[in-house]
Amino acid sequence: MIRKTTYEDIPELMEVFQKARAIMRASGNMNQWNDGYPSEEIVRKDIEKGVSHVLCEEDGRIIATMAFIPGPDPTYTEIYGGQWTDDSPYYVIHRIAAAESGNNAASRLLEWAFTQTDSIRIDTHKDNAIMHHILDKQGFTHCGMIYLANGDPREAYQMSLKANKYKALYYLAKCYLEEEDDLIANMANLSAMIHREFGFWWTGFYRVVGDKLVLGPFQGPTACTRIAFGKGVCGSAWKRGETIVVPDVEEFPGHIACSSESRSEIVVPIWREGHIVAVLDIDSEKLGTFTETDKIWLEKIASLI
Ligand code: SME
């Protein structure tokens, strides 16, 4: 069972850190956490903020712990020698430690963490072979190097379920769309694939027909059928010739509300031979669903049409 740490857990937790340190030393990681880190003071602060978690055995014994903290993390602002997987909102895991090795305790904590968020960033010492192995096994990407507040370098990793899903979707879409050049057939399959993978509120296309956008293949509730050039998010993306990301539709002047459930939106123009022939429009019933990650991947996917 995974639960939040309480103040009563502190003595047991400090023992877990002690055992984790011994495991590190035995595996040749001689310099990480050798200054008494994480101190009881840090642990107390984590508990106070509600970010410290423990993994317990059925008898209640604590076998592992982590601080699971909503980002952004100031030490992750700059990354060297590479880049983060994506820029979507993330959680950070610090102070992850297991009292024993070989019982998948750290992996269980990481798997639980992905039930709470789509994206996690984490760093570890270059000599922490055990942690590098766990992160690789869980599918994290090694992104580069970051520096802690005290100047120590650490290897930085991220796993973004959104980026992973888009990557898989891109290759699947490639297989379907490469064989077919009919625009409507491709729009139909693409809206189905995106909608199914992400479970958005509305996923579909508007085709350029004369001076209007006309509703094309889509998935989701019924929608407005015609949108004028420059009107709404769709007409604006057509006019500007670029993708528009709208974190809050109420903040977008002239947004056309086909459904009151829609809270955020992205519109990606579809180009053929130098002209916009359609737009891909996706709506979410949550605020701020779409970020640079969606823009990059949806543009890549839209270019397959
Ligand atoms: N909100 C869009 C209209 C299309 S529906 O969202 C499906 C817009 O402002 O262009």
Side-chain angles (χ1 to χ4, degrees):
M1 157 180 146
I2 291 163
R3 62 167 173 81
K4 288 200 175 187
T5 314
T6 66
Y7 291 107
E8 289 73 56
D9 295 324
I10 292 175
E12 204 182 341
L13 208 61
M14 298 319 283
E15 271 177 43
V16 171
F17 287 125
Q18 198 48 46
K19 287 179 181 158
R21 238 176 253 123
I23 296 170
M24 285 180 191
R25 300 299 169 262
S27 68
N29 178 9
M30 306 316 275
N31 300 308
Q32 191 178 5
W33 292 8
N34 60 4
D35 51 0
Y37 178 91
S39 66
E40 193 172 317
E41 194 194 334
I42 291 176
V43 172
R44 276 187 184 278
K45 277 203 187 122
D46 282 346
I47 298 173
E48 194 181 304
K49 290 186 199 140
V51 298
S52 178
H53 291 75
V54 285
L55 170 66
C56 302
E57 288 286 39
E58 273 173 17
D59 62 6
R61 203 164 51 90
I62 297 172
I63 57 167
T65 178
M66 68 174 171
F68 180 63
I69 309 168
D73 184 306
T75 60
Y76 291 176
T77 314
E78 294 289 338
I79 181 156
Y80 301 87
Q83 58 186 27
W84 297 107
T85 305
D86 80 354
D87 69 336
S88 54
Y90 61 92
Y91 272 70
V92 186
I93 293 177
H94 286 311
R95 301 177 272 292
I96 186 164
E100 298 157 32
S101 56
N103 61 358
N104 280 331
S107 296
R108 278 159 69 191
L109 284 171
L110 292 173
E111 279 165 20
W112 173 85
F114 276 110
T115 66
Q116 311 295 307
T117 179
D118 269 0
S119 180
I120 293 175
R121 292 183 187 182
I122 188 167
D123 66 77
T124 193
H125 193 285
K126 71 173 176 26
D127 297 336
N128 195 335
I130 299 174
M131 201 60 210
H132 285 286
H133 175 70
I134 292 170
L135 293 172
D136 285 342
K137 198 178 74 182
Q138 288 292 321
F140 277 75
T141 303
H142 179 258
C143 297
M145 217 164 67
I146 60 101
Y147 287 90
L148 302 180
N150 69 6
D152 278 1
R154 289 285 185 273
E155 305 290 334
Y157 286 80
Q158 181 176 15
M159 181 144 103
S160 159
L161 299 184
K162 192 187 239 183
N164 284 359
K165 278 187 190 174
Y166 272 124
K167 214 179 283 174
L169 190 67
Y170 174 75
Y171 289 104
L172 181 70
K174 215 170 161 170
C175 299
Y176 275 88
L177 307 192
E178 253 172 13
E179 301 293 309
E180 178 58 67
D181 72 348
D182 184 82
L183 197 59
I184 293 184
N186 285 342
M187 286 175 181
N189 267 338
L190 207 48
S191 57
M193 280 182 222
I194 299 171
H195 201 69
R196 215 169 164 174
E197 184 64 47
F198 288 97
F200 292 129
W201 171 254
W202 195 92
T203 311
F205 291 87
Y206 282 89
R207 291 173 305 132
V208 172
V209 181
D211 62 350
K212 292 252 168 15
L213 287 171
V214 179
L215 184 63
F218 71 93
Q219 302 275 313
T222 49
C224 338
T225 53
R226 282 168 195 265
I227 298 172
F229 185 70
K231 298 290 174 200
V233 188
C234 293
S236 301
W238 179 22
K239 187 173 174 185
R240 292 186 208 169
E242 62 187 29
T243 299
I244 301 181
V245 175
V246 184
D248 179 351
V249 294
E250 283 179 20
E251 306 272 307
F252 190 90
H255 166 258
I256 302 164
C258 290
S259 155
S260 58
E261 302 281 335
S262 171
R263 311 287 301 282
S264 58
E265 183 166 358
I266 185 168
V267 178
V268 181
I270 310 287
W271 297 82
R272 267 200 177 178
E273 285 148 18
H275 298 283
I276 294 179
V277 292
V279 297
L280 165 62
D281 177 19
I282 307 180
D283 288 36
S284 162
E285 75 277 41
K286 294 188 204 111
L287 287 172
T289 296
F290 306 102
T291 65
E292 191 66 17
T293 306
D294 301 85
K295 177 178 181 291
I296 291 167
W297 280 102
L298 289 169
E299 284 176 355
K300 215 166 137 67
I301 290 168
S303 74
L304 295 168
I305 281 200

